[in-house]
Amino acid sequence: MTKTRDDIATYAPAAAPGAPAAWRIETAPVAYEKALAVMEARAAAIAAGEADELVWLIEHPALYTAGTSARPEHLVEPRFPVFAAGRGGQFTYHGPGQRVAYVMLDLKGRGGDVRRFVADLEEWLIRTLAAFNIRGERREDRIGVWVRRRDKGEGCEDKIAAIGIRVKRWVSLHGVSLNVDPDLGHFGGIVPCGVGEPRFGVTSFLDLGHVVSMAEVDMALRRAFVEVFGPVQAEGAVAP
């Protein structure tokens, strides 16, 4: 029987290969082109054995990204710059108030299971949300982390975190985005992740009534990452 991602996530985490992953937080918004260049260079260095793994926490200026499965009709209104991301998935929004975590890990050294990696990313986000008494859930037919919204009606759910990855030479690029307090109206310019049913929307900590700082979210992300993926250590910043 095929295992669900919930089943996969109950397994013991794959051992981290060698040194702790570097953990870096940027304090100023990072241009998307800069982020892509940094990710590509770091992933190549990790694959060559010349750099440690990296988890890079940033915010972007308001923009849309198109994954490899993006459909042109899902760009409803290009209010912001649109970038081809090179990751899997469809259209998504990034902007102020959203924590983007780019994750460059040696997947071959962590067991070589991409499906497990996606389940682990979801588990990382679910545990982070749980620290704030928010119940995030997986859906087998929809990637990302979802919150039930019974206040909106039966069967209504909102996405609070998106996942989009690429794997190159067994090193992961791109990662996750978590809505802390972005302008949710900005998602209206796209069909987020290709999910257009009216009962499925987007939400954030603030929209759910949780007023938290980005620093608090970052601390929770770090604790949950260590639980799921293994130890980390601080690394210096890259200027945007």
Side-chain angles (χ1 to χ4, degrees):
M1 185 176 67
T2 302
K3 289 184 170 64
T4 66
R5 296 197 309 280
D6 271 326
D7 294 331
I8 293 169
T10 64
Y11 297 168
W23 186 268
R24 180 188 302 167
I25 302 175
E26 299 297 339
T27 57
V30 179
Y32 195 71
E33 303 96 323
K34 173 70 174 181
L36 290 180
V38 170
M39 275 195 289
E40 288 281 354
R42 184 58 171 250
I46 293 169
E50 297 170 354
D52 293 333
E53 299 174 310
L54 174 64
V55 182
W56 190 24
L57 274 59
I58 68 175
E59 288 179 85
H60 282 305
L63 56 92
Y64 298 126
T65 67
T68 54
S69 302
R71 297 167 56 179
E73 64 269 27
H74 287 174
L75 182 60
V76 178
E77 181 186 349
R79 307 174 191 174
F80 307 110
V82 181
F83 296 90
R87 54 159 176 79
Q90 303 190 48
F91 280 105
T92 194
Y93 165 78
H94 295 314
Q98 182 190 71
R99 175 52 85 209
V100 176
Y102 290 132
V103 183
M104 289 146 271
L105 299 184
D106 174 10
L107 299 189
K108 189 173 183 180
R110 291 173 176 267
D113 187 338
V114 176
R115 190 162 179 254
R116 169 61 191 273
F117 176 57
V118 172
D120 285 345
L121 290 174
E122 291 171 331
E123 184 67 19
W124 175 30
L125 293 163
I126 288 168
R127 293 188 185 202
T128 299
L129 291 166
F132 300 93
N133 295 314
I134 298 172
R135 182 175 180 178
E137 300 181 62
R138 296 177 183 81
R139 292 293 177 261
E140 282 300 306
D141 60 336
R142 288 173 267 131
I143 297 295
V145 177
W146 296 79
V147 177
R148 299 187 193 202
R149 297 302 303 269
R150 294 185 179 90
D151 55 313
K152 293 185 174 182
E154 187 64 30
C156 290
E157 298 182 350
D158 287 345
K159 178 181 274 192
I160 193 168
I163 295 173
I165 65 166
R166 179 185 174 194
V167 178
K168 188 174 182 179
R169 295 176 63 192
W170 281 108
V171 176
S172 62
L173 296 95
H174 301 275
V176 306
S177 58
L178 180 60
N179 298 331
V180 180
D181 58 356
D183 184 338
L184 296 179
H186 290 173
F187 285 89
I190 57 172
V191 178
C193 302
V195 180
E197 292 183 52
R199 63 194 179 99
F200 300 136
V202 290
T203 191
S204 66
F205 281 75
L206 184 61
D207 183 52
L208 294 172
H210 295 262
V211 180
V212 299
S213 69
M214 194 67 77
E216 290 174 306
V217 172
D218 290 345
M219 287 188 289
L221 280 165
R222 181 167 180 156
R223 286 193 298 267
F225 186 92
V226 170
E227 292 172 1
V228 175
F229 290 101
V232 297
Q233 60 185 2
E235 182 172 280
V238 168

